[in-house]
């Protein structure tokens, strides 16, 4: 009698479906897979680890209660989570900027030190993808990378960026368009893996 | 600028608007078409990848525990307390008082004054009354067997459905990949077509780019500028790759001064094609210099290539 084939890792989309069926194990599995990179993103935006961990918790509770809102035709699960974490972090940053400018200034003077995750948290596949994305971002001309990062990590509009860097709005838009096109072209295989 | 935007440009602008809006939703297609939907999906994934370069950091274990506890509370799942491995004293069994056996009844000789069975009826009916019980037992047995079989069938069907579902998801992914590739090809074809239209337009201005001065460089270029003096296409060949820490930079010489057209690099033997839908007003000349990595605010070295001046871009 042939032995059954070993079960491969369950895809993120299947886990989201199980979360929709109220499986806490599926939520825990998604958390274990994505929490380290999502925490890094929230911390990059917010600067404070405690705030970032709160956002992380909020986002996974949001996933638990709104798994049905995930549309596999519009994004991969990892991208969906990245966009939700980014959005919540920017919201928190904006409200904090209003009420807590003093703390913000103090934080900028003493930024949270970046530290790598412990070995084993990140799969080889994700690590390779991260290195590839990092390399491609490094290859972008600095002026293009700058406008892209200001839009992504600070939630600034194109007009706000133009005002900050002292360039015409058209130039800022052109730079962002070029950066996005380059990334799409350079990260073709990574995007295909996510589709 | 808006009238020159391609569908891809519109999609990117929609992506940027999605970032500004901060809803956390994927990019919305610019128009109801398959290409627009595919482009929206592709740029959604680009946004997702932008954050991939950050070093991941493991959250505190308490964050995970709190999350799972909150989830358990919300869904009414009782989290079992940790079992203490130390043995528990057994509960003493209640003392059982033996029930005294009943005293034997006195034997009474019963006279058959009244017959137990009416005359003419044997004891057979008594045995006959048991058959409903036997039938019920048999039916129960059959039903139990049937239920077991149905449960097994259902489990097998669930496995089959799950496997079909996963096959369907796989096929869907393949179809989506094929669509994405087709959309990419379409974008590429669109770009090539627009460049072709530009370079073959009757009123296009063509300007050769040559090495400046007496430089014996094999580099050459040809700049095509559309009659609207906005769209341009530049083909470069023979340019060696820029040295480490350096980039090529394109410059427009216009009325308002020398304006950067962006930086680029090239590979050995590659014909590099650059194009855009905008250029500064009243551009008179074009040149390429070698600058420090990332480009300079103004040219800091002699031009490697410059327009040969046999055209009029004004």
């Amino acid at each position: 009698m042939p032995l059954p084939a070993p079960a491969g890792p369950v895809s993120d989309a299947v886990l989201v479906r199980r979360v929709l069926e109220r499986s806490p194990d599926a939520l825990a599995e998604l958390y274990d897979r994505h929490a380290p990179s999502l925490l890094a993103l929230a911390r990059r935006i917010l600067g404070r680890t405690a705030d970032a961990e709160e956002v992380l918790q909020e986002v996974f509770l949001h996933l638990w209660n709104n798994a049905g809102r995930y549309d596999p035709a519009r994004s991969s699960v990892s991208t969906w989570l990245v966009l939700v974490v980014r959005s919540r972090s920017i919201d928190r940053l904006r409200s904090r900027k209003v009420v807590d400018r003093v703390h913000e200034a103090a934080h900028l003077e003493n930024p949270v030190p970046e530290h790598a995750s412990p070995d084993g948290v990140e799969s080889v596949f994700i690590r390779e993808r991260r290195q590839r994305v990092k390399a491609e971002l490094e290859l972008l001309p600095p002026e293009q990378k700058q406008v892209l990062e200001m839009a992504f990590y600070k939630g600034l509009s194109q007009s706000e960026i133009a005002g900050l860097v002292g360039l015409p709005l058209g130039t800022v838009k052109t730079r962002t368009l070029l950066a996005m096109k380059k990334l799409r072209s350079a990260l073709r295989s990574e995007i295909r893996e996510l589709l | 600028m808006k009238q020159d935007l391609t569908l891809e440009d519109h999609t990117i602008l929609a992506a940027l608007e999605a970032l500004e809006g901060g809803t956390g939703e994927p990019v919305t297609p610019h128009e109801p078409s398959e290409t627009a939907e595919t482009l929206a999906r592709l740029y959604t994934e680009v946004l997702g990848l932008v954050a991939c370069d950050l070093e991941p950091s493991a959250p505190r274990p308490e964050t995970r525990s709190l999350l799972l506890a909150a989830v358990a509370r919300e869904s009414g799942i009782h989290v079992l307390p940790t079992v203490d491995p130390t043995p528990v004293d057994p509960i003493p069994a209640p003392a059982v008082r033996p029930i005294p056996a009943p005293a034997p009844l006195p034997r009474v000789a019963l006279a058959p004054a009244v017959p137990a069975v009416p005359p003419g009826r044997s004891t057979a009916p008594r045995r006959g009354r048991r058959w409903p019980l036997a039938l019920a037992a048999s039916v129960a047995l059959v039903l139990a067997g049937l239920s077991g079989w149905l449960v097994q069938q259902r489990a097998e069907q669930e496995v089959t459905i799950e496997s079909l579902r996963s096959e369907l998801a796989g096929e869907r992914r393949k179809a989506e990949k094929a669509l994405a590739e087709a959309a990419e090809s379409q974008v590429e074809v669109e770009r090539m077509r627009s460049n072709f239209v530009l370079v073959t337009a009757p009123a296009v201005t063509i300007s050769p780019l040559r090495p400046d001065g007496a430089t014996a460089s094999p580099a050459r270029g040809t700049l095509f500028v559309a009659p609207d003096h906005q769209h341009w296409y530049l083909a470069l060949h023979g340019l060696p790759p820029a040295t480490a820490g350096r980039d090529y930079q394109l410059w427009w010489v216009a009325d308002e001064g020398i304006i950067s057209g962006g930086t680029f690099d090239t590979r050995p033997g590659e014909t590099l094609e650059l194009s855009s839908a905008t250029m500064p007003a009243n551009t008179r000349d074009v040149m390429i210099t070698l600058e420090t990595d990332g480009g300079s605010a103004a040219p800091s070295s002699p031009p490697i290539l410059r327009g040969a001046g046999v055209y009029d871009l004004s």
Side-chain angles (χ1 to χ4, degrees):
Chain A
M1 197 173 78
L3 290 171
V10 181
S11 73
D12 284 351
V14 169
L15 289 175
V16 171
R17 205 163 58 225
R18 290 188 188 157
V19 168
L20 192 58
E21 291 160 2
R22 316 306 279 168
S23 161
D25 290 344
L27 185 78
E29 175 68 30
L30 280 169
Y31 180 90
D32 293 339
R33 282 185 194 180
H34 297 287
S37 49
L38 294 175
L39 180 66
L41 169 61
R43 208 171 63 173
R44 165 77 195 263
I45 294 171
L46 291 164
R48 301 176 189 169
T49 305
D51 282 2
E53 288 196 336
E54 273 181 30
V55 166
L56 188 69
Q57 214 176 351
E58 274 174 29
V59 167
F60 276 93
L61 272 177
H62 173 81
L63 169 62
W64 177 250
N65 291 316
N66 298 279
R69 288 182 62 185
Y70 169 66
D71 182 355
R74 294 185 68 195
S75 70
S76 60
V77 173
S78 59
T79 293
W80 185 53
L81 290 172
V82 162
L83 293 179
V84 176
V85 165
R86 179 198 165 274
S87 154
R88 299 235 167 181
S89 304
I90 297 279
D91 283 349
R92 186 174 278 241
L93 185 69
R94 283 175 183 155
S95 56
R96 198 172 71 185
K97 273 183 178 166
V98 174
V99 299
D100 198 1
R101 286 178 196 278
V102 179
H103 277 185
E104 177 70 12
H107 158 71
L108 287 174
E109 285 164 12
N110 303 298
V112 175
E114 291 285 333
H115 60 81
S117 63
D119 289 344
V121 167
E122 193 182 22
S123 77
V124 174
F125 171 72
I126 293 176
R127 189 180 308 137
E128 279 175 3
R129 184 164 75 188
R130 183 167 54 79
Q131 283 165 355
R132 177 112 176 78
V133 171
K134 196 170 189 171
E136 290 304 334
L137 282 170
E138 288 301 320
L139 281 177
L140 286 180
E143 69 272 14
Q144 292 176 14
K145 192 179 173 196
Q146 181 195 25
V147 290
L148 185 65
E149 289 189 341
M150 287 173 94
F152 191 83
Y153 291 117
K154 298 193 172 170
L156 297 174
S157 69
Q158 297 289 288
S159 316
E160 286 169 330
I161 295 170
L164 280 172
V165 296
L167 284 171
L169 177 60
T171 308
V172 171
K173 280 192 177 174
T174 306
R175 286 181 180 180
T176 322
L177 285 173
L178 286 172
M180 292 285 280
K181 282 182 184 173
K182 278 183 193 169
L183 285 180
R184 183 181 80 89
S185 173
L187 300 173
R188 201 168 289 184
S189 57
E190 282 72 20
I191 293 171
R192 273 187 202 148
E193 280 159 9
L194 291 169
L195 294 178
Chain B
M1 179 182 173
K2 276 198 172 171
Q3 62 198 9
D4 301 324
L5 295 178
T6 62
L7 179 58
E8 188 177 10
D9 295 339
H10 278 297
T11 309
I12 299 172
L13 292 176
L16 297 175
E17 277 168 23
L19 288 185
E20 286 170 29
T23 57
E25 289 294 317
V27 180
T28 309
H30 180 64
E31 58 185 34
S33 72
E34 211 164 82
T35 311
E37 280 172 16
T38 309
L39 278 169
R41 173 73 197 263
L42 291 175
Y43 278 104
T44 298
E45 298 303 343
V46 170
L47 291 180
L49 285 171
V50 167
C52 264
D53 74 318
L54 300 173
E55 288 284 340
S57 59
R60 289 173 303 132
E62 294 83 0
T63 309
R64 187 182 192 275
S65 312
L66 286 171
L67 169 73
L68 294 179
V71 161
R73 265 199 314 276
E74 282 203 2
S75 54
I77 297 169
H78 296 290
V79 180
L80 290 174
T82 313
V83 178
D84 187 357
T86 52
V88 178
D89 290 338
I91 299 166
V96 179
R97 198 171 48 193
I99 299 168
L105 292 172
R107 285 171 183 259
V108 180
L110 294 175
V114 180
V117 180
R121 291 182 72 176
S122 70
T123 53
R126 179 173 279 191
R127 280 202 301 275
R129 256 182 254 130
R130 290 183 187 155
W131 71 264
L133 282 176
L135 181 63
S138 307
V139 168
L141 201 63
V142 168
L143 284 177
L146 190 64
S147 308
W149 180 78
L150 284 173
V151 166
Q152 191 187 351
Q153 286 294 305
R154 190 181 162 185
E156 280 172 12
Q157 278 172 1
E158 272 174 1
V159 170
T160 311
I161 288 168
E162 189 59 33
S163 133
L164 286 172
R165 217 178 251 165
S166 114
E167 270 178 39
L168 180 67
E171 292 303 319
R172 239 182 226 152
R173 273 198 298 276
K174 277 186 203 161
E176 279 172 2
K177 270 185 194 175
L179 275 176
E181 283 170 12
E184 280 185 8
S185 305
Q186 204 171 329
V187 169
E188 185 64 13
V189 166
E190 197 184 314
R191 191 185 64 79
M192 288 169 72
R193 191 190 294 139
S194 95
N195 286 341
F196 180 76
V197 167
L198 195 154
V199 300
T200 56
V204 70
T205 312
I206 304 169
S207 164
L209 269 74
R210 297 282 180 264
D212 197 42
T215 320
S217 163
R220 295 287 183 274
T222 313
L223 174 69
F224 299 81
V225 181
D228 64 2
H229 297 295
Q230 283 294 296
H231 289 80
W232 57 270
Y233 165 75
L234 175 61
L236 294 165
H237 50 92
L239 265 182
T243 47
R246 310 271 278 173
D247 260 345
Y248 288 109
Q249 192 161 4
L250 177 70
W251 302 97
W252 303 109
V253 182
D255 282 355
E256 53 185 300
I258 298 177
I259 297 156
S260 171
T263 57
F264 61 91
D265 199 358
T266 181
R267 292 177 190 153
E270 179 188 52
T271 296
L272 189 70
E273 295 176 84
L274 305 170
S275 64
S276 172
T278 53
M279 71 189 298
N282 299 320
T283 297
R284 295 191 308 275
D285 201 355
V286 59
M287 59 182 183
I288 290 166
T289 60
L290 197 56
E291 301 294 337
T292 51
D293 200 3
S296 310
S300 64
S301 65
I304 288 171
L305 284 174
R306 72 178 310 153
V310 295
Y311 52 88
D312 180 11
L313 296 180
S314 60

